[in-house]
Amino acid sequence: MRLVIKYGGTSISSAKDIQTVANYVNTLSKHNEIVIVCSATSGTTDDLIEISQSIKNENKNKAVQLASKIINRHKQLAKQTIKKSTIRKKLLEKLDVDFKELVALIEGMVLLGEVTARSMDYLISFGERLSIKLISFAINDLNKKSISLTGKEVGIVTDSNFGESIPLMDTTRLRVSKTIDQQFAKKIIPVIGGFTGADQHGHITTFGRGGSDYTATIIGTCIKADEIWLMSDIDGLMTADPKIVKNAKLLKEVSYIEAIEMALFGAKQIHPRTFEPLLTKKIPMKIRNSFNVKNEGTLVTDSPSISTKNTVKCVSSIRHNGLIDIRGGSMVGNPGTAAKIFTTLAKAGINVMMISQNPSESSITIVVKNTDLDKAVNALEMELLGKIIKKLEVTTDVAIIALIGLGMRGTVGVASKVFGAIQKNNVNVAMITQGSSELNLAFVVKNSDTNVAVQALHDAFELDKIN
Ligand SMILES: Nc1ncnc2c1ncn2[C@@H]1O[C@H](COP(=O)(O)OP(=O)(O)O)[C@@H](O)[C@H]1O
Ligand SMILES: N[C@@H](CC(=O)OP(=O)(O)O)C(=O)O
């Protein structure tokens, strides 16, 4: 079988974990052609983002301190993971080249005193640049040939939308399939850094947080993989985040569209675009646990063979959002109002997560990430306040709770069950939406009510008994 296996940061955060991954890959490679895609080690991308914040805040010491933390962590991992001294020495030399470049980049950014979207992508690409070497050398340590390649080196070409780039698939397909075929011909296991590519000028780009999942499906379609596996620290997609709901159950099979909804609404931090390349190529995906490989995980396909009686399959949540209630009498019966609001937000680069308009048309409510809230309010205030908008009412720290499942379509009584359960738990609902596909029902509560709301819905729909 031709397999693309993606390891998330939670699967490679200790020397023991990396050895477990290398051993498993080595065993599987005896009967399969394997490409590994891996993320940065747990916490590294967050540290790199914090470096950029420190540079913005002109706190050079903090930036240097965080860089040392990353360097020491990777040196330590290299020393603890690799048993053969010659291989360990070679790895440390290779890592040293990256460390020097990282330090030089930070110094340059500090001198300039600015963090552009382009320099940011270059900076945060270091997480994967370091992790691929750890994994690849750990495979070498088992006497198996392996090569580490960044997204740019394997041939992923993207547009120049730094921070949220899109692959140019035709060029990417030609380059990636050629690179991988060359490695397969030499029986070498390629270990590819997820999350990043390069634009046509060779500048490093990223796909946005969680983007390694997307890399896995891009590579999978380029090389016509038989299956793509996403490995993390959980058995698969569950009926709810097991960190919130102790009796959450594993979903054995879901459809691509259910998985997309789950990704969009925060279940398992899958990148929302992950499934895009699969919709036409229809490659089966498995979501599995690196530390429990006996379990087959969740199978994601175009049309699942298992039919569950449950209308709802998953309750998910996304915390840390802001809600903006946009009001104004002149919005009523005034064509183009919504267009003006959303154009203003789009121009400011704001991603709107939820929208609802009350039928009298006197108010439109939107939800954006807390981190975008300031920018969104500022843009609306500058452009439209006093014109079509009379008042903006802002609520910070809200969570979106969503129920997902194909079986909700056309089923009577879902909403009453949901809001009955929520009311019983004294949770106040600020906003409700349902997509016309009836695949999800989402509403907004205070951040602090998230766990209560998720557990109440999980109980109400008896998801612990799902088959
Ligand atoms: N419905 C869900 N099913 C499975 N995991 C979920 C769900 N909702 C949230 N999660 C969380 O997603 C985490 C794994 O995602 P992620 O952090 O992206 O892993 P990785 O870094 O390994 O890719 C799990 O530890 C789990 O707590
Ligand atoms: N390292 C990147 C990309 C990624 O996909 O990570 P993970 O698979 O650990 O969620 C991030 O943290 O966003």
Side-chain angles (χ1 to χ4, degrees), residues 74-75 77-79 81-82 85-99 130-138:
H74 287 83
K75 269 191 192 161
L77 280 172
K79 286 180 192 159
T81 306
I82 311 297
S85 62
T86 45
I87 296 183
R88 195 185 318 127
K89 188 165 167 269
K90 219 164 129 197
L91 169 60
L92 284 165
E93 278 166 13
K94 286 236 176 196
L95 289 176
D96 219 36
V97 176
D98 289 335
F99 295 153
L130 300 172
S131 66
I132 48 175
K133 296 188 175 83
L134 291 174
I135 308 288
S136 179
F137 276 77

Side-chain angles (χ1 to χ4, degrees), residues 166-178:
I166 293 182
L168 308 180
M169 274 315 283
D170 292 320
T171 318
T172 298
R173 194 173 301 111
L174 285 172
R175 296 191 186 172
V176 168
S177 58
K178 189 172 161 206

Side-chain angles (χ1 to χ4, degrees), residues 6 8-10 232-234 236-238 240-241 243 266-269:
K6 177 255 166 176
T10 54
S232 77
D233 61 343
I234 292 288
L237 282 175
M238 318 273 288
D241 185 344
K243 286 178 185 132
K268 168 97 181 51
Q269 279 101 37

Side-chain angles (χ1 to χ4, degrees), residues 30-95:
K30 300 202 163 89
H31 305 288
N32 302 283
E33 283 179 322
I34 295 181
V35 176
I36 303 298
V37 172
C38 71
S39 304
T41 56
S42 224
T44 300
T45 309
D46 289 337
D47 287 340
L48 289 162
I49 290 171
E50 213 183 324
I51 290 179
S52 74
Q53 291 301 337
S54 309
I55 296 172
K56 276 188 204 157
N57 299 337
E58 296 178 14
N59 189 346
K60 183 185 172 188
N61 288 345
K62 183 82 197 284
V64 171
Q65 197 186 322
L66 284 160
S68 303
K69 181 178 158 198
I70 294 172
I71 291 171
N72 290 335
R73 181 192 304 150
H74 287 83
K75 269 191 192 161
Q76 188 82 349
L77 280 172
K79 286 180 192 159
Q80 292 170 345
T81 306
I82 311 297
K83 295 199 179 95
K84 295 192 178 83
S85 62
T86 45
I87 296 183
R88 195 185 318 127
K89 188 165 167 269
K90 219 164 129 197
L91 169 60
L92 284 165
E93 278 166 13
K94 286 236 176 196
L95 289 176

Side-chain angles (χ1 to χ4, degrees), residues 294-423:
K294 281 196 194 106
N295 194 317
E296 278 298 308
T298 304
L299 176 65
V300 190
T301 59
D302 192 38
S303 45
S305 57
I306 301 175
S307 69
T308 159
K309 284 191 240 51
N310 287 59
T311 43
V312 173
K313 283 194 181 164
C314 176
V315 187
S316 59
S317 56
I318 317 178
R319 285 171 218 249
H320 308 302
N321 307 300
L323 184 143
I324 311 174
D325 197 16
I326 307 164
R327 297 194 188 160
S330 55
M331 286 161 60
V332 182
N334 188 356
T337 301
K340 282 186 192 133
I341 291 173
F342 294 112
T343 309
T344 302
L345 292 167
K347 267 204 251 153
I350 309 290
N351 179 29
V352 179
M353 301 166 80
M354 258 173 102
I355 306 166
S356 92
Q357 179 173 34
N358 91 14
S360 75
E361 298 181 27
S362 63
S363 101
I364 291 179
T365 310
I366 59 164
V367 177
V368 299
K369 287 198 187 104
N370 263 352
T371 45
D372 280 343
L373 191 60
D374 186 321
K375 223 174 12 160
V377 171
N378 188 253
L380 292 170
E381 209 166 20
M382 298 272 290
E383 297 277 326
L384 303 175
L385 197 67
K387 295 173 191 156
I388 53 166
I389 299 177
K390 200 164 158 213
K391 196 171 166 210
L392 291 174
E393 217 159 84
V394 180
T395 316
T396 54
D397 297 315
V398 296
I400 301 174
I401 311 285
L403 280 102
I404 296 145
L406 267 174
M408 283 162 64
R409 197 174 282 165
T411 305
V412 180
V414 175
S416 69
K417 202 167 177 176
V418 170
F419 298 109
I422 291 299
Q423 190 195 9

Side-chain angles (χ1 to χ4, degrees), residues 211-276:
S212 298
D213 300 326
Y214 191 25
T215 303
T217 54
I218 292 168
I219 302 275
T221 51
C222 289
I223 65 162
K224 298 195 176 69
D226 296 297
E227 282 183 10
I228 297 164
W229 298 355
L230 303 186
M231 315 292 284
S232 77
D233 61 343
I234 292 288
D235 278 345
L237 282 175
M238 318 273 288
T239 50
D241 185 344
K243 286 178 185 132
I244 299 178
V245 176
K246 295 290 163 250
N247 57 352
K249 285 278 291 281
L250 176 71
L251 292 162
K252 292 211 171 79
E253 224 176 318
V254 300
S255 65
Y256 290 139
I257 42 173
E258 285 171 323
I260 291 170
E261 295 286 320
M262 289 185 201
L264 285 171
F265 286 104
K268 168 97 181 51
Q269 279 101 37
I270 302 178
H271 191 282
R273 305 187 77 107
T274 302
F275 298 94
E276 257 173 36

